[in-house]
């Protein structure tokens, strides 16, 4: 009620004020009237009379309330509800607060670059070096691939009959269908050399070195199925057959037929599978011929996720033919990706039987004697573990520690009658090997590439003084980089640590002479060496390029086998033509 009294009082005062203002407006404006003011003071003391005239203009002021032409009706309490008409638009509201997906602009379809599938290479150098290569292949057909290649290398050293010549021919084909992949190859390798070994100290003579020649024919066929990688219930299978014939310039001959295959089935995160191999080999030499056959079976089960994979199974190895022996080993492996794409921890546990062949021994040491002893080596324990991954998108690494226990591990020793030839012997009992392997791979397209490997081994042999002719340290590295657009520099490094060789010789003749000569063994040190090679290539255009290479820059005439020094520094240059 108090609020209504205040409102009524305010309206009455406003009305009175407005009435006076209206009255003032209706009266004519007065002219300026002088005003007289008389000031009198007390005359009892001083009698002063003054007259002051004040003149000012009249300025009427209109109050704001006068602008209201009518008084409000206080009794009108009806609510005011204006009529509003809405027109709704059928339009979707788009929020601009989020980032919308950009629409990629379609590029103009470029013509695919035509690649050169074939090339020929020819080079000449000192030491009578000749180099030739030819490669012919089909075009960029995703379903059919085929090709042919030829390689030749010849070189002569400073020693009597220090020569080597290598040739290889090969053809291959691959058919990729919707369900099957078929592959096949035929090849022939020929190596010719001489037993040019000699002792600088003159302990034996070798005036007319014998010639050695190796021939190796190989044929292989492979069939495997294709599956969708995203399918969780794939069934995989593959089969391969390999046949080969090997012989040398004397009586050694080796034939081998190997049939292998595998199958597997995916069951969500599990994979069941088995691998098998049947190896039928016949080895012949001047005084023996025996069958060295082997059957292996590896059933396994695998559990895998995006970052974890574990495989467990067994290796069953059955030697039959001249050798009769059965071995069963565990077969387990583990891969765990600790940091995706950067760090993976891996390990394996297993064992196996490694077949010893004349060809494999000749690949390592081409100066073998006749009738070498052949025994299969057995890896009774093979444990390894390490890490691998990347430190950058183009830098990969691998580090692994392994421990092996091997029986019948082979080594080379010179023949007592012809020191330039070598026989094969075996460490008695078990040989324990502790090793470390490391790899570093760097690849920035063609601008820079680096591949390095290091291998360190420590041998624990109970029956011999040293691990004969088995190096404890090997470092290999190869690198290439572009210095300008058309010039590429490359280099290779091989460093091998010191090794020991076991040398048989006859004891000095004493008086009286024994009925049979006494054979004594001595130790010969094969010094550590570094073999560095560098090369350069200039790309004249897309078809023609020239290259220059220096092998064994340091000119070290090092030895890998006793009495067989290397060829020394080798310089060659040539042309490469693509078509």
């Amino acid at each position: 009620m108090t609020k209504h009294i205040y409102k009524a009082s305010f309206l009455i005062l406003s009305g009175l004020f407005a009435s006076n203002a209206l009255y003032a407006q209706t009266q004519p404006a007065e002219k300026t009237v002088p005003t007289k003011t008389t000031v009198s003071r007390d005359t009892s003391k001083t009698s002063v009379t003054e007259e002051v005239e004040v003149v000012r203009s009249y300025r009427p002021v209109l109050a704001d309330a006068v602008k209201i032409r009518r008084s409000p009706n206080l009794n009108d309490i009806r609510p005011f509800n204006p009529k509003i008409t809405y027109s709704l638009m059928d339009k979707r509201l788009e929020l601009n607060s989020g980032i919308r997906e950009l629409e990629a602009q379609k590029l103009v379809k470029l013509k695919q670059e035509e690649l050169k599938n074939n090339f020929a290479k020819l080079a000449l150098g000192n030491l009578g070096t000749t180099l030739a290569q030819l490669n012919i292949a089909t075009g960029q057909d995703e379903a059919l691939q085929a090709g042919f290649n030829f390689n030749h290398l010849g070189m002569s050293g400073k020693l009597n009959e220090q020569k080597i010549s290598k040739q290889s021919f090969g053809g291959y084909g691959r058919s990729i269908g919707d369900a099957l992949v078929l592959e096949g190859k035929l090849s022939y390798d020929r190596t010719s050399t001489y037993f040019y070994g000699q002792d600088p100290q003159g302990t034996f003579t070798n005036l007319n070195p014998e010639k050695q020649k190796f021939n190796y024919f190989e044929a292989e066929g492979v069939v495997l199925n294709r599956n969708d990688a995203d399918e969780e219930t794939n069934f995989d299978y593959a089969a391969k057959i390999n046949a080969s014939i090997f012989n040398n310039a004397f009586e050694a001959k080796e034939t081998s037929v190997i049939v292998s295959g595998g199958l597997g089935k995916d069951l969500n995160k599990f994979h069941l599978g088995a691998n098998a191999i049947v190896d039928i080999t016949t080895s012949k030499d001047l005084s023996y011929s025996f069958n060295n056959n082997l059957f292996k079976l590896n059933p396994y089960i695998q559990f895998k996720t995006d970052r974890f994979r574990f495989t467990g199974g067994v290796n069953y190895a059955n030697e039959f033919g001249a050798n009769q022996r059965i071995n069963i080993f565990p077969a387990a492996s583990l891969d765990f990706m600790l940091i995706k794409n950067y760090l993976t921890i891996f390990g394996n546990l297993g064992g196996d039987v490694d077949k010893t062949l004349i060809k494999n021994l000749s690949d390592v040491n081409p100066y073998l004697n006749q009738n070498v002893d052949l025994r299969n080596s057995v890896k009774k324990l093979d444990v390894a573990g390490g890490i691998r991954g990347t430190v950058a998108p183009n830098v990969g690494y691998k580090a692994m520690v392994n421990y092996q226990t091997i029986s019948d591990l082979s080594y080379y020793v010179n023949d007592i009658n012809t020191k330039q030839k070598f026989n094969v012997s075996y460490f008695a009992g078990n040989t324990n090997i502790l090793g470390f392997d490391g790899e570093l791979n760097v690849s920035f397209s063609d601008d820079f590439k680096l591949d390095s490997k290091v291998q360190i081994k420590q041998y624990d042999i109970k029956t011999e003084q040293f691990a004969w002719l088995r190096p404890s340290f090997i470092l290999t590295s190869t690198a290439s980089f572009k210095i300008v657009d058309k010039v590429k520099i490359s280099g290779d490094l091989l460093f091998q640590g010191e090794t020991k060789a076991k040398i048989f010789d006859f004891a000095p003749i004493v008086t009286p002479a024994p009925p049979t000569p006494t054979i004594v063994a001595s130790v010969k040190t094969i010094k550590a060496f570094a073999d560095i090679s560098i090369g350069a290539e200039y790309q004249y255009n897309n078809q023609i390029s020239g290259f220059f290479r220096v092998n064994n820059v340091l000119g070290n005439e090092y030895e890998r086998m006793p009495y067989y020094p290397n060829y020394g520094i080798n310089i060659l240059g040539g042309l490469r033509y693509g078509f």
Side-chain angles (χ1 to χ4, degrees):
M1 181 173 177
T2 305
K3 292 181 180 181
H4 290 297
I5 294 174
Y6 289 157
K7 290 181 180 181
S9 300
F10 175 79
L11 293 176
I12 292 172
L13 292 176
S14 300
L16 293 175
F17 185 80
S19 299
N20 292 332
L22 291 174
Y23 177 77
Q25 283 183 332
T26 56
Q27 297 299 322
E30 296 182 0
K31 297 180 180 180
T32 303
V33 179
T35 303
K36 293 183 179 181
T37 303
T38 303
V39 180
S40 300
R41 299 186 179 181
D42 189 359
T43 57
S44 60
K45 295 181 180 182
T46 304
S47 178
V48 177
T49 301
E50 295 180 359
E51 185 179 56
V52 179
E53 183 178 359
V54 178
V55 181
R56 64 182 178 82
S57 300
Y58 176 75
R59 295 180 181 178
V61 178
L62 184 63
D64 292 339
V66 179
K67 297 178 183 180
I68 303 175
R69 300 302 181 185
R70 60 184 180 82
S71 299
N73 184 6
L74 301 179
N75 297 324
D76 188 3
I77 58 176
R78 293 176 302 174
F80 176 71
N81 295 322
K83 294 182 179 181
I84 300 175
T85 302
Y86 296 95
S87 178
L88 300 178
M89 300 177 63
D90 188 9
K91 185 177 181 181
R92 178 178 143 186
L93 177 63
E94 293 185 1
L95 297 177
N96 296 324
S97 59
I99 300 177
R100 292 184 297 178
E101 182 180 358
L102 298 177
E103 295 181 1
Q105 185 177 2
K106 294 183 179 180
L107 299 176
V108 179
K109 188 175 181 180
L110 300 177
K111 183 179 179 181
Q112 188 176 10
E113 183 181 0
E114 185 178 353
L115 301 178
K116 304 296 182 183
N117 304 308
N118 315 313
F119 76 89
K121 193 173 184 180
L122 182 65
L124 298 174
N126 70 326
L127 302 178
T129 303
T130 56
L131 173 69
Q133 293 183 1
L134 175 65
N135 185 83
I136 300 175
T138 56
Q140 302 179 54
D141 191 336
E142 297 181 357
L144 181 62
Q145 301 171 5
F148 168 81
N149 55 73
F150 165 75
N151 295 279
H152 163 78
L153 174 64
M155 185 181 299
S156 300
K158 295 180 293 184
L159 300 180
N160 182 27
E161 298 295 350
Q162 187 182 16
K163 299 178 181 179
I164 189 170
S165 178
K166 294 183 178 182
Q167 293 82 32
S168 65
F169 303 85
Y172 65 90
R174 181 183 297 112
S175 175
I176 304 175
D178 295 334
L180 291 176
V181 177
L182 302 176
E183 299 180 4
K185 73 173 185 177
L186 290 171
S187 64
Y188 168 68
D189 295 335
R190 178 185 179 275
T191 301
S192 175
T193 186
Y194 288 82
F195 292 94
Y196 67 88
Q198 55 180 284
D199 187 2
Q201 297 179 359
T203 58
F204 68 94
T205 59
N206 187 15
L207 300 178
N208 297 305
E210 294 180 273
K211 185 176 181 180
Q212 177 65 283
K213 183 175 62 176
F214 304 105
N215 298 292
Y216 182 64
F217 301 86
E218 185 182 21
E220 185 176 277
V222 179
V223 57
L224 58 96
N225 70 322
R226 297 183 63 188
N227 283 321
D228 186 358
D230 298 329
E231 182 65 35
E232 295 183 353
T233 58
N234 284 332
F235 176 73
D236 302 322
Y237 62 88
K240 180 173 71 173
I241 182 171
N242 179 282
S244 63
I245 300 175
F246 171 81
N247 60 54
N248 63 16
F250 304 103
E251 301 294 330
K253 184 178 182 180
E254 207 164 52
T255 59
S256 177
V257 177
I258 303 173
V259 180
S260 60
L263 51 86
K265 176 68 175 178
D266 286 333
L267 300 173
N268 295 324
K269 294 183 179 181
F270 289 90
H271 179 82
L272 302 177
N275 299 312
I277 181 172
V278 178
D279 185 344
I280 307 297
T281 302
T282 300
S283 299
K284 296 180 180 180
D285 211 330
L286 182 63
S287 61
Y288 64 77
S289 175
F290 71 96
N291 296 326
N292 187 8
N293 307 324
L294 185 63
F295 169 71
K296 294 182 181 180
L297 179 64
N298 169 225
Y300 65 90
I301 181 172
Q302 185 180 90
F303 174 76
K304 57 183 178 179
T305 62
D306 292 339
R307 294 194 174 188
F308 179 82
R309 182 176 63 190
F310 173 78
T311 305
V314 296
N315 279 340
Y316 171 83
N318 183 359
E319 298 174 79
F320 61 98
N323 301 320
Q324 299 287 336
R325 185 169 50 182
I326 295 177
N327 291 280
I328 300 177
F329 310 99
S333 64
L334 172 69
D335 283 74
F336 176 62
M337 189 180 296
L338 190 62
I339 303 176
K340 189 174 183 180
N341 298 328
Y342 288 95
L343 177 60
T344 298
I345 301 174
F346 67 91
N348 61 68
L349 169 66
D352 204 353
V353 175
D354 292 335
K355 182 178 289 189
T356 302
L357 302 174
I358 300 176
K359 180 190 182 302
N360 295 342
L361 296 172
S362 300
D363 289 342
V364 178
N365 184 357
Y367 313 109
L368 289 182
N369 200 1
Q370 291 179 274
N371 297 319
V372 294
D373 187 16
L374 298 178
R375 303 180 197 174
N376 295 337
S377 298
V378 180
K379 290 182 181 177
K380 296 182 177 180
L381 179 65
D382 188 358
V383 182
I387 59 175
R388 66 173 181 268
T390 59
V391 295
N394 300 307
V395 181
Y397 66 90
K398 179 181 178 181
M400 180 181 70
V401 177
N402 59 79
Y403 181 82
Q404 296 177 331
T405 299
I406 305 176
S407 65
D408 292 329
L409 183 65
S410 64
Y411 65 92
Y412 301 99
V413 62
N414 70 297
D415 185 75
I416 187 64
N417 296 309
T418 53
K419 288 188 177 181
Q420 68 271 22
K421 295 184 179 181
F422 293 87
N423 297 318
V424 178
S425 188
Y426 298 85
F427 295 108
N430 295 329
T431 301
N432 299 319
I433 306 173
L434 177 63
F436 170 80
D437 293 347
E439 295 183 21
L440 178 64
N441 308 105
V442 181
S443 177
F444 294 96
S445 66
D446 290 335
D447 295 334
F448 180 76
K449 291 183 179 180
L450 172 66
D451 294 315
S452 296
K453 295 181 181 180
V454 62
Q455 188 178 73
I456 303 173
K457 289 187 177 182
Q458 181 180 351
Y459 294 87
D460 181 13
I461 303 171
K462 301 295 189 298
T463 58
E464 294 288 341
Q465 186 178 1
F466 298 102
W468 306 115
L469 292 175
R470 289 187 172 270
S472 59
F473 182 86
I474 298 177
L475 170 65
T476 59
S477 182
T478 178
S480 65
F481 60 94
K482 281 186 176 181
I483 56 175
V484 292
D485 186 32
K486 292 187 176 183
V487 179
K488 180 187 292 186
I489 301 296
S490 62
D492 298 287
L493 167 66
L494 168 63
F495 180 83
Q496 180 174 298
E498 181 181 275
T499 60
K500 303 292 184 178
K502 187 177 184 180
I503 303 297
F504 285 129
D505 205 345
F506 293 109
I509 299 176
V510 296
T511 304
T516 58
T518 303
I519 299 176
V520 295
S522 60
V523 177
K524 178 180 174 62
T525 300
I526 307 298
K527 296 181 180 180
F529 64 87
D531 189 331
I532 302 174
S533 301
I534 58 174
E537 181 178 357
Y538 174 73
Q539 189 75 34
Y540 178 72
N541 54 33
N542 292 335
Q543 291 181 301
I544 301 175
S545 63
F547 64 92
F548 176 80
R549 186 171 181 85
V550 181
N551 298 315
N552 193 7
V553 175
L554 302 178
N556 294 328
E557 296 184 0
Y558 57 84
E559 295 180 348
R560 290 191 178 183
M561 295 294 166
Y563 313 124
Y564 284 90
N566 192 20
Y567 288 78
I569 190 170
N570 174 230
I571 304 173
L572 71 157
L575 296 175
R576 183 181 184 275
Y577 177 72
F579 57 96

